[in-house]
Amino acid sequence: MELEKSYNYKTTESRIYELWESSGCFNPDKQPNIDAKKGNYVVMIAPPNITGSLHMGHALENTISDILVRYHRMSGFKTLWVPGTDHAGISTQSVVEKDLAKKGISKHDLGREEFIKKIWEWREKYGSLILNQLKRLGCSLDWSRTAFTMDAGYKEAVKYVFEYYLKKGWIYKGKRVINWSVKDQTSLSDLEIYYKEHKDSLWYIKYPIAGRPDEFITVATTRPETMLGDTAVAVNPDDERYKKFAGQKAVVPLVNREVPIISDAAVDLKFGTGAVKVTPAHDIADFEIGQRHNLQAVEVINTLGKVNEAFPEFKGLKVTDARKKIVEKLKELGLIEKEEEYTHNVAYGERCHTIIEPMLSNQWFLNMKELAKMAIDAVESGEVKYHPEKWKDMALTWLKNIKDWNISRQIWWGHPVPVDPEGNKISNGAGGSTDVLDTWFSSALWPFASLGWPNPTDDFEKYYPTNVITSARDILHLWISRMIYSGLEFTGKVPFKDVLIHETILAKDGKRMSKSLGTGLDPMDFIEKYGADAVRFGLIYQSLGCQDIKFGEEFIVTGGRFANKLWNIARFIMMKIGPDYVFRKYESFEDLRNQNPGLAEKYAKELARINELSMAVSKGLGEYKFGETLHELYRYAWHELADKLIEETKSKDDEVTKDMLTYILQTILRLLHPFMPFVTEEIYSHLPIPDKSMLLVEHWPEK
RNA sequence: GGGCGCGUAGCUCAGUUGGUUAGAGCGACUCGUUGACGUCGAGUAGGUCCCCCGUUCGAAUCGGGGCGCGCCCACCA
């Protein structure tokens, strides 16, 4: 059969994917080429958010996973890669809110129940967009097992885990200073906030010493409005300047509260005046000082971001207005020593992009002590390995400095916090039974909950623990560390043996790719333009184990050309062998030597070379060296096979030469299949090979 | 502020334990090529290997310092 002059990915890719999918071979229970000696190979997906669409990072991540899956499947492992999505609490909620806002509807118009219904509708409509994009990329996921972090079974897992921790005494309610988003009316974890540089004022405020109205201690602050809640003034214990005030009290102006002057090592004697006002209710550091010195926490700002009714003079004022008014009053009283311009970082919410108010709140916390310890042991002992290895230290540093996890959120979309068994309701709304759990609480259970746990399902029995997770580094702590201790606590096993942290894809100028900056590129555009194999090639070709990739489209172009080159290598060989030639199949190199001694002898060097390449590819994939391995395959196929070997055969026409070419063609297609599955499968389908399967499940050239 | 990574040809990057004239892909230029090929092949040009100091017979490679870029973590009132 004669091939077209050039490879046409447009007419090929969807047809080939359909062929694979309908064959059922992505499902390990139906996989035809299982080698009982090999065992299982399970790859874990990082379930994308239901709001998500494929970005370059996803494309790289899932190409890497797919390469591993295809390589192991061909090698005869019973191979599973479960697809799925994450409900992504606050992120999804805000997307749907924005969507409704276009129609002039707010979530409060709908009420909680109706709003959640809308989110489910949204999820039905758009929630699997990204999964379809993964199909376009060629990912061989077992779609019959698609999971979602709010499936009925998954809900059971979450409830089970919450109650388990509660019974163990590890979940508790507590007042803490948390990051509060006034806009979204919820608490945020430290990992959900970012900092932005602000030019503000730093005010130096004189606090009179109690009983000696002519003496003052001056504090410096950017947030004078919180002084209404000050319950101490703190200095560094080594600060000679303030020794004279030891044991004395200061009077907080405007509220005339007498507060102790305390010494605490957390105070930086070089900053400002070296004396600092302490507001335990509205600053995380101050809260900690308060704990150490048994200070009262006086709340000033309420959950709406306004001064509360305890301060009638300022009641109802927004933070910024209260600040102005208080500074004015202090000026009138002559208590502002000076005001200077000051640049500092201010916390913003990752989703709401508004300033975070630190405030005291009732929240649910999960005690991290024992859990972190387990994870530390597993990482230190190498039960879980990181690639590249440096991420191990990153993970350990975080785990060793971990704080208790604030697991409650005051939003509507998520797993509800199971009802408090003691029936306690806490007054201000937070920490009550209307809260939902932090998204990562459920994500942390993904490796086993996505397989049906806590029910003793076949899948959980057979496919847990998994072998490897491929992930971006920004969720190392947020997610990966949490899966490790969750796995250890609930299954007694680490959820995966290898953690692969892939490069971050940056724009060509080295800046972060982001939609909001307009520097984001859509991999789907490239798939349209050059084909999925080309995109996979381009990404992997640049994946050389560094921390970042500066993305260049030219590698995708090269990938597209390479697909065409492969096509023409096959086309030439097909012409060369003529219509009556039938491919021979060899089980192994030994088998080839027995069946075809003439070939083994005449082309010993060429066969040795392709064998060597096969071993190098196996080794490279085993060591997760994707880029290097692809470089080698590319160099071989183009510059050795096509440029030299094939050129040399143009003057020959014997059967042994045909045997050599067809053997090498088959082998190189197999070796390239994990990287460029579509074009290799398509070429393979045209080869006159008796009793062949799809390349997808043909055996890997081992030796 | 702490940590990590990077700085090699116009661009994106290799450079294995320090060893002769520093490589690849893309781009530029020259020539050639019809039994496969969005042509392809052969070849040319282009580099104080960020800077300084040191170790060494010898440094892109090792050590110290600096400069520049990027990312992560912490957040200082």
Side-chain angles (χ1 to χ4, degrees), chain A residues 662-675:
Chain A
T662 54
Y663 175 75
I664 288 182
L665 177 61
Q666 282 194 70
T667 307
I668 194 73
L669 287 178
R670 286 169 205 226
L671 295 175
L672 275 164
H673 183 258
F675 297 89

Side-chain angles (χ1 to χ4, degrees), chain A residues 209-210 212 242-250 259-263:
Chain A
I209 304 298
R212 291 192 235 165
Y242 297 110
K243 285 266 151 81
K244 57 180 174 179
F245 294 131
Q248 310 241 22
K249 294 196 166 188
V259 300
I261 297 171
I262 57 174
S263 57

Side-chain angles (χ1 to χ4, degrees), chain A residues 539-560:
Chain A
L539 292 172
I540 297 299
Y541 199 84
Q542 284 195 279
S543 169
L544 292 156
C546 281
Q547 188 162 283
D548 302 315
I549 291 176
K550 282 186 210 160
F551 175 76
E553 184 169 340
E554 63 268 29
F555 298 100
I556 294 180
V557 174
T558 305

Side-chain angles (χ1 to χ4, degrees), chain A residues 234-490:
Chain A
V235 297
N236 189 287
D238 298 330
D239 198 331
E240 297 297 331
R241 295 172 289 178
Y242 297 110
K243 285 266 151 81
K244 57 180 174 179
F245 294 131
Q248 310 241 22
K249 294 196 166 188
V251 179
V252 180
L254 306 178
V255 288
N256 295 320
R257 183 185 303 125
E258 281 194 12
V259 300
I261 297 171
I262 57 174
S263 57
D264 193 285
V267 179
D268 177 358
L269 60 187
K270 292 193 288 290
F271 185 87
T273 62
V276 59
K277 63 195 257 332
V278 181
T279 322
H282 294 292
D283 185 284
I284 292 170
D286 289 6
F287 180 79
E288 284 165 8
I289 294 175
Q291 298 279 90
R292 287 196 283 273
H293 298 270
N294 281 316
L295 301 175
Q296 210 197 333
V298 175
E299 294 173 62
V300 179
I301 316 292
N302 64 21
T303 53
L304 299 171
K306 293 179 177 166
V307 176
N308 65 31
E309 54 279 1
F311 306 96
E313 203 184 341
F314 306 102
K315 180 187 156 193
L317 289 178
K318 286 198 301 191
V319 167
T320 43
D321 297 335
R323 185 174 302 167
K324 276 182 209 145
K325 189 162 176 188
I326 282 175
V327 169
E328 268 167 40
K329 290 260 164 192
L330 289 169
K331 276 182 184 159
E332 282 167 25
L333 294 169
L335 294 173
I336 299 278
E337 195 177 288
K338 62 173 169 173
E339 177 181 343
E340 57 186 36
E341 199 175 78
Y342 179 61
T343 305
H344 65 143
N345 290 328
V346 176
Y348 277 73
E350 191 176 80
R351 303 291 169 198
C352 59
H353 301 292
T354 54
I355 294 180
I356 292 303
E357 272 314 315
M359 69 175 66
L360 217 52
S361 171
N362 296 301
Q363 300 289 341
W364 293 96
F365 290 88
L366 177 57
N367 183 320
M368 278 292 115
K369 214 175 148 195
E370 294 296 319
L371 291 167
K373 205 167 142 257
M374 276 190 281
I376 289 167
D377 288 346
V379 173
E380 278 182 341
S381 71
E383 260 188 281
V384 178
K385 288 199 173 62
Y386 291 78
H387 309 268
E389 215 186 332
K390 62 175 178 181
W391 299 111
K392 173 181 171 176
D393 293 332
M394 296 278 179
L396 282 173
T397 306
W398 186 74
L399 284 164
K400 286 178 180 171
N401 295 303
I402 201 164
K403 289 193 227 162
D404 285 356
W405 179 10
N406 173 200
I407 53 169
S408 45
R409 295 289 181 274
Q410 290 69 50
I411 55 172
W412 288 356
W413 174 243
H415 289 279
V417 172
V419 177
D420 181 349
E422 299 153 0
N424 290 337
K425 285 263 162 71
I426 300 174
S427 58
N428 74 354
S433 58
T434 58
D435 288 3
V436 299
L437 292 165
D438 181 10
T439 304
W440 299 101
F441 189 89
S442 52
S443 313
L445 316 177
W446 180 262
F448 39 99
S450 64
L451 295 172
W453 183 92
N455 297 308
T457 61
D458 281 355
D459 274 5
F460 175 67
E461 293 299 323
K462 273 198 266 183
Y463 300 116
Y464 184 87
T466 71
N467 295 71
V468 59
I469 161 108
T470 309
S471 170
R473 63 168 169 265
D474 53 358
I475 49 178
L476 191 64
H477 311 314
L478 218 50
W479 188 46
I480 293 181
S481 297
R482 285 168 176 168
M483 285 191 287
I484 294 173
Y485 60 67
S486 306
L488 287 165
E489 181 65 23
F490 292 102

Side-chain angles (χ1 to χ4, degrees), chain A residues 178-190:
Chain A
I178 46 86
N179 307 302
W180 181 261
S181 164
V182 172
K183 181 163 178 251
D184 285 344
Q185 288 290 296
T186 185
S187 66
L188 299 174
S189 76
D190 291 346

Side-chain angles (χ1 to χ4, degrees), chain A residues 675-692:
Chain A
F675 297 89
M676 305 178 79
F678 291 108
V679 66
T680 50
E681 185 74 76
E682 175 66 4
I683 293 171
Y684 196 74
S685 75
H686 291 286
L687 304 183
I689 300 175
D691 309 322
K692 68 177 170 188

